[in-house]
Amino acid sequence: MSCSATDLAVLLGPNATEAATYICGQLGDVNNKFIDAAFAIDNTYLLFSAYLVFSMQLGFAMLCAGSVRAKNTMNIMLTNVLDAAAGGLFYYLFGYAFAFGSPSNGFIGKHYFGLKDIPTASADYSNFLYQWAFAIAAAGITSGSIAERTQFVAYLIYSSFLTGFVYPVVSHWFWSVDGWASPFRTDGDLLFRTGAIDFAGSGVVHMVGGIAGLWGAFIEGPRLGRFDNGGRAIALRGHSASLVVLGTFLLWFGWYGFNPGSFNKILVTYETGTYNGQWSAVGRTAVTTTLAGCTAALTTLFGKRLLSGHWNVTDVCNGLLGGFAAITGGCSVVEPWAAIICGFVAALVLLGCNKLAEKLKYDDPLEAAQLHGGCGAWGLIFTALFAQEKYLNQIYGNRPGRPHGLFMGGGGKLLGAQLIQIIVITGWVSATMGTLFFILKKMKLLRISSEDEMAGMDMTRHGGFAYMYFDDDESHKAIQLRRVEPRSPSPSGANTTPTPV
């Protein structure tokens, strides 16, 4: 709103300058109140979204705990806590600056170290908190891949390196206004005239965490007993399906901050005076997220039934999360019906990746590399096929003739940008995290001893078990010890009644 006392005085008649000045002053105050309210609403929305994303850490902790054997419960829970704690400090000191320190170059940011000069017109504390929650989510993904056989010091080193450097560089490339492949570039020099579209992080978060976990698990090797001498896979089942389901629902809940929250603002109007605004796009994004996850869960349910003959709840939970990981990249730029296709294919990708992992004797206790890496890559390709031009222009700025989904008539340029994103993320994370895990192995800081692994990390590294339990193999031994043995024959030669031992 703007008001000119000179123009208004003419309308009010002679000797009305003071009245016009007063009216314009009041209108200016009202206008400032509207501006203040808009900042407050958008910051509150982003903070609430950050709280939801942070609650996913509890989901990760429960999912990880239920997916490992009981003798490693305390270890995996502690690593999840330290992902958040170590990640918080290193993202504060370095990570946020490397990711969003603008103005900078296309590779890495160079301002806001330790949140210096924050807040600004474009960056506030709420944005740091939200982005930190994303960074520790990537670290949490990796911890699942290397569970049950990794030294504690290795967790601290990789988590700090991932959240403080590796992940921030990738997020700078695709989410910063200076990133070389970002659709938010302010100079208009976009990759293939569109930039790589990864709205909430199918590539930036899920592929980064999944590929880091892939290298960690590959360099460490499988857990003891995961494959027999003939190479046949042996299931080392997690000890609690209840915790797996609880963790899955917590992650589902948090995903409504992960995807819809990635708009950062909600009070943005697309058409003045109508229902068509960012608040509607936020709702559509929540719907596409829901539909993709639900479809993937049902597809996995029936797919595993056909493959194994069982209705397996943990497999369904992983399928659900695979659907969420896939839709994350394009959740805001596709129609709800397309999300169903995304979830269906994501389930097939996860099933295929798991089969391939077994053949290659790759061991990932939580299927994290397959789920987040494989389904995340599919999510980027899916976006290139089904992204709507209208939604891209609303979110990333109006550019007539912008390349969009191949199946939506938008040509193949967006697909090219998405494939480049997959390649560079894979290469960057492999070069950095793969090298780190290799160095840790050479320094004998990566894997625990065979004796500690067999006994369980809770007892050998953390002072005791999380709770009283029997693993499957110990339960079988206990049952066998309860066998019935006959007494020695009596002196008369008569047998006595068998006595239970």
Side-chain angles (χ1 to χ4, degrees):
M1 297 172 62
S2 61
C3 180
S4 168
T6 302
D7 295 339
L8 189 60
V10 175
L11 299 176
L12 294 175
N15 302 320
T17 301
E18 292 184 1
T21 301
Y22 173 80
I23 293 173
C24 284
Q26 293 300 307
L27 289 175
D29 289 342
V30 171
N31 183 61
N32 289 335
K33 290 293 183 181
F34 277 120
I35 294 174
D36 294 343
F39 276 116
I41 291 170
D42 287 335
N43 271 275
T44 301
Y45 174 73
L46 188 57
L47 281 171
F48 182 72
S49 298
Y51 305 150
L52 284 176
V53 178
F54 179 70
S55 74
M56 296 175 77
Q57 290 301 118
L58 178 57
F60 278 125
M62 296 298 101
L63 180 68
C64 290
S67 299
V68 302
R69 289 165 291 181
K71 61 186 179 183
N72 297 308
T73 304
M74 288 181 65
N75 173 262
I76 197 67
M77 296 282 276
L78 182 57
T79 61
N80 275 271
V81 174
L82 290 177
D83 280 339
L89 287 177
F90 278 86
Y91 199 72
Y92 162 76
L93 292 172
F94 310 108
Y96 187 76
F98 288 151
F100 299 101
S102 181
S104 64
N105 54 61
F107 177 76
I108 193 169
K110 56 183 181 181
H111 296 283
Y112 305 150
F113 290 99
L115 297 187
K116 184 180 179 181
D117 300 326
I118 295 289
T120 68
S122 59
D124 207 337
Y125 295 107
S126 56
N127 189 55
F128 163 79
L129 193 73
Y130 187 69
Q131 296 299 335
W132 160 72
F134 270 56
I136 61 176
I141 292 168
T142 305
S143 68
S145 296
I146 57 178
E148 297 201 288
R149 73 263 203 208
T150 305
Q151 292 191 46
F152 190 66
V153 66
Y155 280 110
L156 288 174
I157 294 172
Y158 99 76
S159 181
S160 301
F161 185 57
L162 183 66
T163 56
F165 180 65
V166 178
Y167 167 82
V169 170
V170 176
S171 55
H172 179 82
W173 292 349
F174 302 106
W175 287 346
S176 169
V177 294
D178 301 310
W180 65 268
S182 172
F184 298 106
R185 284 185 68 93
T186 54
D187 60 8
D189 187 17
L190 301 179
L191 180 66
F192 293 142
R193 293 181 50 244
T194 176
I197 305 298
D198 188 8
F199 181 72
S202 285
V204 174
V205 178
H206 294 284
M207 279 192 67
V208 167
I211 294 171
L214 172 69
W215 280 106
F218 174 76
I219 291 172
E220 274 193 305
R223 293 167 290 172
L224 295 177
R226 180 65 177 91
F227 299 96
D228 63 17
N229 293 332
R232 184 173 60 90
I234 299 173
L236 300 179
R237 298 188 182 281
H239 78 281
S240 176
S242 300
L243 289 178
V244 171
V245 173
L246 174 61
T248 301
F249 273 114
L250 287 169
L251 288 169
W252 190 339
F253 178 67
W255 234 292
Y256 291 124
F258 205 96
N259 286 3
S262 291
F263 281 94
N264 292 344
K265 298 180 180 180
I266 192 169
L267 195 58
V268 177
T269 301
Y270 296 154
E271 295 179 21
T272 303
T274 71
Y275 59 85
N276 189 18
Q278 198 135 288
W279 48 87
S280 179
V282 167
R284 183 184 67 248
T285 300
V287 170
T288 58
T289 301
T290 303
L291 292 176
C294 293
T295 305
L298 292 175
T299 305
T300 306
L301 174 70
F302 291 106
K304 291 296 290 187
R305 172 67 175 177
L306 293 174
L307 293 173
S308 66
H310 301 291
W311 306 103
N312 192 309
V313 65
T314 56
D315 288 330
V316 171
C317 288
N318 279 342
L320 177 82
L321 298 177
F324 288 151
I327 194 61
T328 295
C331 55
S332 64
V333 296
V334 299
E335 296 286 0
W337 60 263
I340 296 175
I341 299 173
C342 178
F344 177 77
V345 177
L348 300 182
V349 169
L350 179 59
L351 293 172
C353 287
N354 285 335
K355 282 293 183 182
L356 181 62
E358 281 193 13
K359 289 186 178 297
L360 297 176
K361 298 182 179 59
Y362 170 80
D363 181 25
D364 186 327
L366 274 88
E367 302 176 3
Q370 302 94 297
L371 192 162
H372 297 277
C375 294
W378 155 242
L380 296 179
I381 295 172
F382 161 78
T383 303
L385 301 178
F386 292 95
Q388 297 280 349
E389 183 180 13
K390 174 177 66 174
Y391 299 150
L392 288 170
N393 284 332
Q394 288 174 350
I395 297 166
Y396 296 103
N398 189 23
R399 297 177 181 275
R402 171 195 290 272
H404 51 285
L406 178 63
F407 293 167
M408 301 294 103
K413 289 187 176 181
L414 180 55
L415 178 59
Q418 302 298 86
L419 291 175
I420 287 177
Q421 181 178 3
I422 293 172
I423 293 170
V424 296
I425 289 177
T426 303
W428 170 252
V429 179
S430 298
T432 52
M433 295 303 295
T435 302
L436 176 65
F437 283 122
F438 181 77
I439 292 173
L440 291 174
K441 181 179 180 179
K442 289 298 182 182
M443 296 177 65
K444 302 187 184 304
L445 295 175
L446 185 58
R447 185 159 185 159
I448 60 174
S449 66
S450 299
E451 293 77 13
D452 287 355
E453 187 174 344
M454 292 298 293
M457 298 179 69
D458 287 1
M459 180 59 72
T460 60
R461 301 299 176 107
H462 303 289
F465 296 123
Y467 32 66
M468 296 302 294
Y469 76 98
F470 289 105
D471 272 340
D472 287 342
D473 54 348
E474 295 179 0
S475 300
H476 291 317
K477 291 177 183 177
I479 292 171
Q480 291 176 0
L481 288 175
R482 299 191 191 101
R483 66 188 184 278
V484 175
E485 294 182 352
R487 288 180 181 173
S488 300
S490 65
S492 62
N495 290 329
T496 59
T497 303
T499 301
V501 178

